[in-house]
Amino acid sequence: MTSPAERLFRLFPQTPSVLDGHEEGVAAIPGLVRGEPAWMSNARFRANRHAAENARSYTRMHLTLANVCVDLEDAAVIGGVLMANAALHSGVPAYAQIPMQWVLLRTGELLIQVQDSRRDFPGFDEAVTWEPAEGEKPRGLWIARELGAELAFAPTEAGKIVQALIKPLEVPAWDSPVVSDTP
């Protein structure tokens, strides 16, 4: 995890586009991203009550089509959690659009990031390290962390970016050749 005071240190401008007057790229928060992007995609979701479910469904579909090697259901839940936090806590109206980006790194790791217009993230460290008491309902960032996401955030000129880094699935080694010599 990074402290809230740390700044973004690197931009990957392979797919520049204009987003509310700002050039968009993949922002890497120090200590979280450890490689160059192999593939990236982005979308926007309205900040209404359907934002989290829309982000979850889109993430599931999009990553399935992209054939990434991560747990798709976990990635979909994590994407929904990040979008829910942005929609609930950024203070933007329901018609506002919240950008979301998926980046597959050459290491096989998947980075999901959501950008909102609020620069600060009060209680980030507490939200990430929070543990539910017995009988207490799990909350967003705890769920993302339990699913294996490394979480970080950093302020930007347009607000902040919250990121989740997801490890690739372990692929078992094959003891026999993939293609058999026998018919």
Side-chain angles (χ1 to χ4, degrees):
M1 284 186 294
T2 60
S3 72
E6 289 186 53
R7 295 287 210 178
L8 299 176
F9 82 117
R10 187 171 181 187
L11 293 176
F12 300 110
Q14 278 87 346
T15 58
S17 65
V18 176
L19 188 63
D20 294 327
H22 296 92
E23 190 169 309
E24 181 181 321
V26 179
I29 296 175
L32 189 59
V33 175
R34 295 172 285 279
E36 295 291 323
W39 165 88
M40 66 178 78
S41 182
N42 51 55
R44 294 166 165 248
F45 299 93
R46 295 238 182 254
N48 59 28
R49 63 188 177 97
H50 304 291
E53 182 55 39
N54 290 341
R56 191 171 27 256
S57 296
Y58 189 86
T59 297
R60 182 182 300 112
M61 179 207 58
H62 198 61
L63 295 180
T64 299
L65 293 173
N67 200 24
V68 298
C69 192
V70 297
D71 186 306
L72 298 176
E73 289 305 313
D74 288 355
V77 170
I78 293 165
V81 163
L82 294 183
M83 184 57 64
N85 278 350
L88 289 171
H89 302 297
S90 66
V92 297
Y95 60 81
Q97 294 187 0
I98 299 174
M100 186 170 186
Q101 193 167 51
W102 303 266
V103 181
L104 181 64
L105 301 174
R106 296 197 191 286
T107 60
E109 296 166 307
L110 177 69
L111 179 73
I112 300 176
Q113 66 181 26
V114 174
Q115 180 179 351
D116 67 56
S117 58
R118 186 173 176 175
R119 284 184 60 83
D120 64 337
F121 196 135
F124 176 77
D125 292 332
E126 292 83 19
V128 171
T129 58
W130 175 84
E131 295 282 335
E134 186 174 327
E136 192 173 7
K137 185 178 178 181
R139 291 189 244 164
L141 293 181
W142 180 85
I143 293 169
R145 195 183 83 232
E146 282 296 301
L147 293 174
E150 291 180 51
L151 302 168
F153 92 97
T156 67
E157 289 180 18
K160 75 172 168 297
I161 292 176
V162 179
Q163 295 181 328
L165 185 70
I166 303 168
K167 301 284 185 200
L169 293 172
E170 294 288 326
V171 179
W174 291 87
D175 292 335
S176 58
V178 177
V179 179
S180 173
D181 291 336
T182 58

